[in-house]
Amino acid sequence: MRALDGWIEVWEVVRTHRVRSLLTMGGVFWGMLMLLLMAGFGRGLEQSVSSSLGGRGTNAVFMWGRHTSLPYKGNKPGRPVDFNNSDVQALQTQLGALEYMAPRNQLGGWRSRNEVVGNSNSGSFQVMGDVPEFSRIQPMRMRQGRFLNPLDMEQERKVAVIGAQVAAELWGRRDPTGEPLRINGVWFVVVGVLESRLSGDQSERAESTIHIPFTTFQRTFNVGDEVGWLTFTAAADASALELEQQARAILAARHGIHPDDEPALGSHNSEAEWRQLQATFKGIRAFVVVVGAFTLLSGVIGVSNILLVTVRERTAEIGLRRALGATAREVVGMILREAMVMVGVAGYAGLVVGVGLLELLRRLLADSESFGDPQVGLPLVASAGLSLLFAGAIAAFLPARRAAAISPVEALRSE
């Protein structure tokens, strides 16, 4: 009963000073709400960026030849660096940490488009010479049919895998698998339609591309053993950054490139990009935690200040309680209960409203490709709740200590 009386007393105090109490609790409510919303939107942004990679390997390396910029072994600068089939074989033999190797060629050069005819319709699309391993480096969904396979390569088959946009422009809603396709006057048979798992411009470009076997490309379009660029991935326990440096050394030795001539070989390393993204998101998460913590702290400081004012206003009451036999521990418990009620109720309300808003936004943004699900995990919610209770106890410490130190005689005399 005494415990119940204590909680009833807290309610009476809050009700009597409802405006002051509500304003104080509003700071805690706002702090919890902002913490959840910022954490949820940060998580949504992280999901959006991760999904934009479409499952593309974070251990992939892309390399292409440029022109030398330094003289080396009697050769003048400005020589073009052109890859060939023997470079592919050398890398496959000498790179021990290699997982997948996918040499590529593009008809007409980088981002060139070619006139393609199918189903009496025509369009302009990218045409790539690829190997089956390319689907392992840049994952894709096959809407119809299949991707390229080893027999296509071995027998130099005239088959083509087309992007969804190509299929839509040339065949509409019809299934184009098994249909003939003409590329620069050469006929191919469509064996599959793919959909990209990337997003934005990358997705549109991938779905406007036609893939034919790499060996067929070299023979049909008379490029000999030329390789436009190299795409490869590091094994699971290896570093793509280290693999790139090894590949650079091998290719530099094969093509007579000065060891310090970095511009001679162009490259893009997705591991470096992924590390930068991870560092960015780590910074965002830290920012959310710091800002949320300081917002909550400001609310808790407000609770502490209000409790100090309350103790000052109730000096005579506290002195009378002490005179009637209340112990310092009971006085501290009274102040602590007031703090926990204000902090707990306001914090829990902010928690409920924050989770509700995030769920509403998640449903509204369900079809959005530019933003992921704004959500927070149970560990964050639990940590925020426990931290809030701890902060409430800290907020009550100074007012409770001051209340416990009040002398009955001094309090009654002041009255």
Side-chain angles (χ1 to χ4, degrees):
M1 291 298 295
R2 292 184 64 185
L4 180 60
D5 288 341
W7 290 110
I8 293 175
E9 181 183 2
V10 170
W11 165 249
E12 288 298 325
V13 172
V14 173
R15 187 179 64 84
T16 302
H17 304 90
R18 61 171 63 92
V19 175
R20 184 173 66 186
S21 300
L22 287 175
L23 290 175
T24 303
M25 295 166 67
V28 178
F29 170 85
W30 184 253
M32 177 62 77
L33 180 62
M34 287 297 99
L35 174 62
L36 291 180
L37 291 181
M38 287 190 297
F41 276 98
R43 177 60 178 166
L45 178 62
E46 186 173 351
Q47 284 186 348
S48 175
V49 174
S50 297
S51 64
S52 70
L53 297 176
R56 185 171 55 192
T58 57
N59 60 342
V61 180
F62 305 83
M63 296 190 69
W64 58 93
R66 290 175 172 169
H67 289 79
T68 58
S69 61
L70 296 174
Y72 188 58
K73 293 185 177 179
N75 295 314
K76 295 182 178 180
R79 291 182 298 112
V81 179
D82 299 317
F83 297 154
N84 53 52
N85 291 345
S86 62
D87 291 324
V88 177
Q89 295 170 359
L91 291 178
Q92 288 176 325
T93 302
Q94 299 178 45
L95 289 178
L98 185 67
E99 183 182 29
Y100 297 113
M101 168 64 72
R104 307 191 75 192
N105 273 325
Q106 180 165 355
L107 188 59
W110 173 244
R111 292 197 175 181
S112 295
R113 301 174 77 87
N114 303 270
E115 191 71 17
V116 177
V117 178
N119 191 35
S120 300
N121 297 317
S122 64
S124 181
F125 307 103
Q126 290 185 136
V127 178
M128 307 295 302
D130 280 314
V131 298
E133 288 78 8
F134 180 70
S135 64
R136 303 280 187 167
I137 298 175
Q138 185 169 296
M140 57 194 71
R141 291 185 294 265
M142 297 306 303
R143 193 172 73 184
Q144 284 108 20
R146 62 173 178 83
F147 194 65
L148 306 174
N149 63 33
L151 279 178
D152 297 331
M153 296 283 294
E154 182 181 343
Q155 299 178 9
E156 299 181 358
R157 292 173 174 173
K158 291 184 179 179
V159 295
V161 177
I162 63 177
Q165 186 63 33
V166 180
E169 290 189 29
L170 299 184
W171 279 275
R173 296 184 178 181
R174 287 178 50 196
D175 182 358
T177 55
E179 297 289 332
L181 179 74
R182 191 176 70 197
I183 303 173
N184 281 11
V186 181
W187 289 98
F188 294 80
V189 175
V190 177
V191 295
V193 179
L194 64 84
E195 294 178 336
S196 175
R197 292 174 57 186
L198 302 172
S199 63
D201 293 340
Q202 291 181 321
S203 175
E204 183 178 350
R205 191 179 309 124
E207 293 188 352
S208 298
T209 299
I210 299 171
H211 306 264
I212 66 175
F214 184 78
T215 52
T216 306
F217 183 102
Q218 288 185 321
R219 179 176 60 85
T220 302
F221 298 113
N222 299 316
V223 297
D225 67 346
E226 177 184 326
V227 175
W229 67 91
L230 302 167
T231 305
F232 51 91
T233 57
D237 57 346
S239 167
L241 293 171
E242 294 179 2
L243 192 69
E244 178 188 345
Q245 293 304 314
Q246 295 173 14
R248 279 182 168 274
I250 294 170
L251 293 171
R254 290 181 56 81
H255 290 272
I257 301 172
H258 193 286
D260 297 329
D261 193 355
E262 292 286 336
L265 296 173
S267 66
H268 173 76
N269 194 309
S270 60
E271 180 180 328
E273 180 183 16
W274 180 248
R275 287 186 178 184
Q276 291 177 352
L277 286 175
Q278 291 296 95
T280 300
F281 289 130
K282 185 177 180 180
I284 291 175
R285 288 191 291 268
F287 174 78
V288 167
V289 170
V290 170
V291 172
F294 274 101
T295 306
L296 278 176
L297 181 62
S298 64
V300 170
I301 291 174
V303 172
S304 182
N305 290 333
I306 289 299
L307 289 175
L308 285 171
V309 173
T310 300
V311 168
R312 188 178 301 111
E313 291 177 348
R314 299 171 64 187
T315 298
E317 176 193 338
I318 295 172
L320 182 59
R321 286 174 180 268
R322 295 299 305 275
L324 293 176
T327 64
R329 182 176 181 181
E330 290 174 335
V331 172
V332 169
M334 177 183 68
I335 303 300
L336 182 61
R337 279 193 296 271
E338 291 184 23
M340 298 306 287
V341 165
M342 287 192 287
V343 172
V345 171
Y348 184 74
L351 186 66
V352 171
V353 173
V355 171
L357 285 176
L358 288 175
E359 179 62 22
L360 177 61
L361 291 171
R362 187 184 69 82
R363 295 184 180 184
L364 293 176
L365 299 173
D367 298 328
S368 174
E369 296 182 357
S370 59
F371 203 81
D373 290 340
Q375 56 181 305
V376 291
L378 181 59
L380 176 62
V381 173
S383 299
L386 292 174
S387 299
L388 190 64
L389 294 177
F390 177 75
I394 296 299
F397 174 76
L398 183 59
R401 183 179 178 182
R402 179 169 296 182
I406 293 176
S407 168
V409 176
E410 295 290 338
L412 294 174
R413 183 181 297 134
S414 65
E415 184 63 19

